Amino acid sequence: MLTESFPKLNDCRAVRFLRAFFRSRYYIALIVALMVCSELFGAELFVYYSYFLFMAVALLFTEDTLAVVPPAVCGYMTFSAKNNPVLFPDTAVFSKPAAATALIVVLVLIGVFLVSRLIFELVKRPKKGFPKLTVGFLVLGVAYLVGGAFSGHYSARTAFFGAVQTLSLCLFYFYFYYTIDWKNTDKSYLFEVFTIVGVGMLVEIGGMYFGKDVFSASGVNRDKLFTGWGVNNNVGCVMAMCMPAPFWFSATDRRAWGFSVLGCCFYLGVLLTQSRTAMLFGTLLFCACIAYTLVCSRGKQRVGNAIVFGVVILAMVVFVAAFQEEFNKLFYSVIRDEFGSRGRLEIYQACWEVFLSDPLFGVGFYASPGALVGHPGIITAPEGVFLPPRAHNTYVQLLASTGTFGFFAYFYHRFETIALLFRRPSKEKTLIAFSIAALILTSILDCHFFNFGPAILYSILLVFAEKRSESAEETELIPLKKRKATLC
């Protein structure tokens, strides 16, 4: 913003350096390193104020808001277990008024800078029209806001929670649509972000294994695998969403085999979260990524990729066969639980019955079926509880909480996203679709679509997919045979 008021700053060497730095992978790596330090060592406040400092400088001196993307992706995964007030109410730093106030202050400061830059962009560089998913997000947002209306369970906090859910899904989608200079944004940028974030997630997954009571005489207890921002299921979802990113470079970079190795490490990271849902759908997506890479890479790149995948698969088979005892101990909890639903089937049945009692708008998010909390009937979450019990299935949750209206609103939104992702396909959109599929598929058996962190990642993936879609539309007049060749 300052360079618009003081044009001579554009010729300043320091400003040129800052602009290059904020678009570089070094900046992304720094943001991810801070994320990992925050989660592992409980340095949230230091990291949040560092994020604010970086974003403030970037918003004042850079051409657009691209530098906000890494902190937006990483922010959710910064919370540490030691400072989680739910896990450790007596010792967590955010249980103390001074730390809570400091957190609010930094969030307000970040919000002020973001809003100021948005206003600047809309005034100085107005963009015509609306994003392609506007109507779907609007309808879904209305469904979230009115969920539970006329059921007797509706309240102001129900509407507030619906509003926060909606914002997590679409705020950055709209914000980046209007504030990023997409013509000067490299098409590899999003994959760089998610690749580096995936490396940070591997470190956080390793950190989970140093938690208390993780190892027992029988083997690893996956119920003790958690971070401050989520249990192993949440970590598995985010890791699965990061997994497709390195395969972009496997298919396009001359050093393809190295990124293939990294992609395989990401898959192993998904397995090590020991989230059965992430393991199942992550395996399907891993196979899709392998197929994508082998089809889209060429010549020596394809040979190198094929060798890496063959060696990794062979090594996994040999490990399971030769170290059966160690394998059984590592995945003891998964093997013990087998295909047990852990009460999900009972929850789904209870949600269906609740839906039948109020089929139009449901009962809202805070009036949960008793099966979620071990009691008969409908249980209203106590006052002061922000995150209510949820159904571990997107569609059942929508029926119970928002009724028929919300259910069809979601599918209208999903129709728009499918049209966006599959109309004029490209390499970029294919891998973005894989990352989005990781969220949608794991949400069949978990509640990730209603968690704020994955929802933010979802919104960022969608806006990058849309701008890539617009790039594809510019090639509309290219002959069909040539256009097909560009997909790989």
Side-chain angles (χ1 to χ4, degrees), residues 140 144 393-403 406-407 410 450:
L140 187 62
Y144 279 9
N393 177 281
T394 300
Y395 314 105
V396 170
Q397 180 77 64
L398 287 166
L399 286 172
S401 298
T402 63
F407 189 75
Y410 171 84
F450 298 94

Side-chain angles (χ1 to χ4, degrees), residues 60-367:
L60 287 172
F61 291 101
T62 59
E63 306 94 324
D64 61 3
T65 64
L66 190 68
V68 178
V69 173
V73 172
C74 293
Y76 183 72
M77 285 85 76
T78 56
F79 294 101
S80 65
K82 65 182 293 186
N83 287 329
N84 188 314
V86 176
L87 297 174
F88 303 104
D90 297 327
T91 59
V93 67
F94 294 115
S95 298
K96 302 174 182 178
T101 302
L103 176 62
I104 294 173
V105 169
V106 72
L107 292 177
V108 169
L109 290 172
I110 291 173
V112 168
F113 270 81
L114 290 176
V115 172
S116 299
R117 185 60 190 253
L118 174 62
I119 295 172
F120 171 82
E121 292 290 338
L122 294 177
V123 172
K124 290 290 186 179
R125 290 182 278 270
K127 297 183 180 180
K128 298 180 180 179
F130 296 95
K132 295 179 180 179
L133 305 182
T134 299
V135 175
F137 274 127
L138 178 62
V139 174
L140 187 62
V142 171
Y144 279 9
L145 288 172
V146 302
F150 312 115
S151 67
H153 302 285
Y154 193 77
S155 65
R157 67 171 179 160
T158 304
F160 178 72
F161 185 77
V164 175
Q165 286 278 332
T166 305
L167 288 175
S168 67
L169 285 169
C170 68
L171 178 62
F172 283 113
Y173 168 79
F174 288 103
Y175 187 85
F176 290 136
Y177 181 91
Y178 289 111
T179 61
I180 287 180
D181 179 7
W182 293 101
K183 291 183 179 179
N184 293 317
T185 299
D186 193 282
K187 60 184 178 181
S188 298
Y189 183 80
L190 181 69
F191 303 114
E192 283 188 350
V193 171
F194 273 75
T195 297
I196 298 173
V197 170
V199 174
M201 290 302 303
L202 288 178
V203 179
E204 291 197 6
I205 290 169
M208 292 197 302
Y209 281 83
F210 289 89
K212 184 179 180 181
D213 299 327
V214 170
F215 295 95
S216 66
S218 301
V220 173
N221 181 4
R222 66 192 180 99
D223 292 329
K224 299 296 182 180
L225 294 174
F226 57 83
T227 63
W229 53 271
V231 297
N232 65 316
N233 290 335
N234 306 112
V235 180
C237 172
V238 175
M239 189 72 249
M241 293 180 74
C242 292
M243 185 176 64
F247 291 102
W248 159 263
F249 300 101
S250 297
T252 60
D253 196 279
R254 289 179 299 175
R255 299 156 294 180
W257 68 270
F259 289 102
S260 294
V261 172
L262 185 59
C264 293
C265 290
F266 281 17
Y267 173 60
L268 293 177
V270 172
L271 298 182
L272 288 175
T273 65
Q274 306 216 24
S275 166
R276 291 178 299 170
T277 305
M279 294 170 74
L280 170 62
F281 293 113
T283 298
L284 295 177
L285 287 170
F286 179 61
C287 294
C289 289
I290 290 177
Y292 165 90
T293 303
L294 293 178
V295 169
C296 292
S297 54
R298 293 287 185 266
K300 293 182 179 180
Q301 291 180 345
R302 180 179 292 172
V303 173
N305 289 328
I307 292 173
V308 168
F309 298 142
V311 170
V312 169
I313 293 172
L314 179 62
M316 293 175 67
V317 171
V318 170
F319 174 78
V320 174
F323 302 95
Q324 186 71 49
E325 183 178 351
E326 289 78 4
F327 176 82
N328 290 341
K329 285 188 175 182
L330 178 60
F331 294 102
Y332 162 74
S333 297
V334 177
I335 297 170
R336 177 197 63 194
D337 293 339
E338 294 180 338
F339 298 104
S341 68
R342 287 200 164 189
R344 282 174 172 78
L345 297 179
E346 292 79 4
I347 291 172
Y348 301 160
Q349 177 63 33
C351 287
W352 177 253
E353 294 173 359
V354 167
F355 162 70
L356 294 177
S357 68
D358 287 281
L360 185 57
F361 295 112
V363 297
F365 289 100
Y366 286 98

Side-chain angles (χ1 to χ4, degrees), residues 414-424 429:
R414 185 58 57 229
F415 169 78
E416 284 193 337
T417 58
I418 290 173
L420 170 65
L421 292 170
F422 290 96
R423 183 172 178 264
R424 294 189 177 93
K429 290 204 299 181

